[in-house]
Amino acid sequence: MTTDALTDDLFSLTAPWAEQLNADTRELDAAGAFPYDKWKVLQQTGLLRTHFAEEFGGAGHGLTATMRALEGLGYVSHDAGLSFSASTQIVSVGVPLQRFGSQELKERYLPRIMSGEAITAHAITEESGGSDAMNLSATARRDGDHYVVNGGKMFITNAPVADLFLLYVRTGKPGPFGLTTLLVEAGTPGLTAGPAMDKIGLRTSPVGTLSFDELRVPVSRRVGPEGTGFLVLDHVMKREVLFGFSITLGEMARRLEETIAFARKRHQFGQPIGSYQAVSHKIADMKMRVETARKWLADTGAKVEAGQDAALDLAATKTIVSEANVQTALDAVQIHGGRGVLTEHGIERDLRNSIAGTIYSGTSEIQRNRIATLLGL
């Protein structure tokens, strides 16, 4: 299936798998359960293959084409947690493996990642620090043809259900040349994944802890040369922001359409509530936020795909889209009134799901720090 065909299908609410993706979302959200049946549906769509090379079974499409497909997923799927796990699946191990991994590792693992057979996670954040990636405390010491890893990680998306992990560990002194990335399979002695944590939103996307106790990893499982973990991280984070928030854009666009339809249908005092400025101005603001998010994502994605410096653009895009998502969700709750706060309608779930976006992949405060620094302040 071509990317255009895939995107068109995902954008259609009558797509063959749309109903399956949205089945039991409320119940799964309440339970905080990873939707394995829906994961199988995602596998069938081919979405997880779009960004990977044809020689390994991928669709061979570029960054912006993949962004468009993921926007479609966000538009169709009401299960934001599932969508978030899908984005993590693409960027966490597959993206760095394709760019920095050995041919042996690519041939062995990329087909399983693209098919969704092997669920993946990357282990960056630690309890003592998230945004300060240059000072990670998890360490790996060389012991012959192995690394021995000790330490732990916190808030790792997909960790409780993952089959493959990419570990970011310290093999040198603090700083950009002290990090190394290692590929580890679940079940390896010395690697322990904790249970899923209960959280406010994205509840079907499990988050957990990892601990490493004398974990032995063959040197052949290293992704990239020793000491180049920061380069791997930089490559991954650019795509994590662009892919994850392309999904967010799709969710915002659907929310806007649903809110407009409700404002036309709902009558108060003899006329549609959308005819009142208090409502129509909120919807106008929602539209402007959606289109602002779309333009920032498109422009930044094009820059990254062209190999241009997009550091400031990425920080601004992440901040703008994540904060627009929260505000449009708040506006939707307010416009829907009583329905907005009832779990059966899913509108309050949109608000809960939006909140974490201002935190993961670098908080809004960290992004503003980056922007200020890049402006010479």
Side-chain angles (χ1 to χ4, degrees), residues 31-101:
F34 181 74
Y36 283 101
D37 288 345
K38 294 186 185 184
W39 188 258
K40 292 178 182 177
V41 175
L42 272 183
Q43 291 176 268
Q44 295 166 9
T45 68
L47 177 70
L48 302 177
R49 298 181 179 274
T50 57
H51 194 54
F52 297 103
E54 294 178 357
E55 67 174 297
F56 302 109
H61 296 293
L63 186 146
T64 53
T66 303
M67 289 170 62
R68 176 71 173 166
L70 288 167
E71 181 187 342
L73 174 65
Y75 180 84
V76 169
S77 174
H78 290 218
D79 191 342
L82 174 69
S83 300
F84 189 67
S85 280
S87 176
T88 299
Q89 172 78 7
I90 295 170
V91 302
S92 62
V93 179
V95 161
L97 192 58
Q98 178 167 253
R99 172 65 178 82
F100 298 97

Side-chain angles (χ1 to χ4, degrees), residues 1 31 102 137 139 158 184 186 192 267 291 307 311 314 342 352:
M1 180 182 291
S102 67
S137 60
T139 60
N158 288 352
V184 183
T192 303
H267 282 66
E291 295 309 323
L314 284 159
L342 296 178
R352 289 189 287 105

Side-chain angles (χ1 to χ4, degrees), residues 5 8 13 17-18 53 59 70-71 81 112 118 141 161 240 242 264 281 320 330 340 355:
D8 290 344
L13 294 175
W17 50 76
L70 288 167
E71 181 187 342
R112 294 178 60 202
R141 70 177 189 274
V161 297
E240 179 171 288
L242 294 171
R264 288 171 173 165
H281 283 190
I320 288 166
L330 279 168
I355 293 172

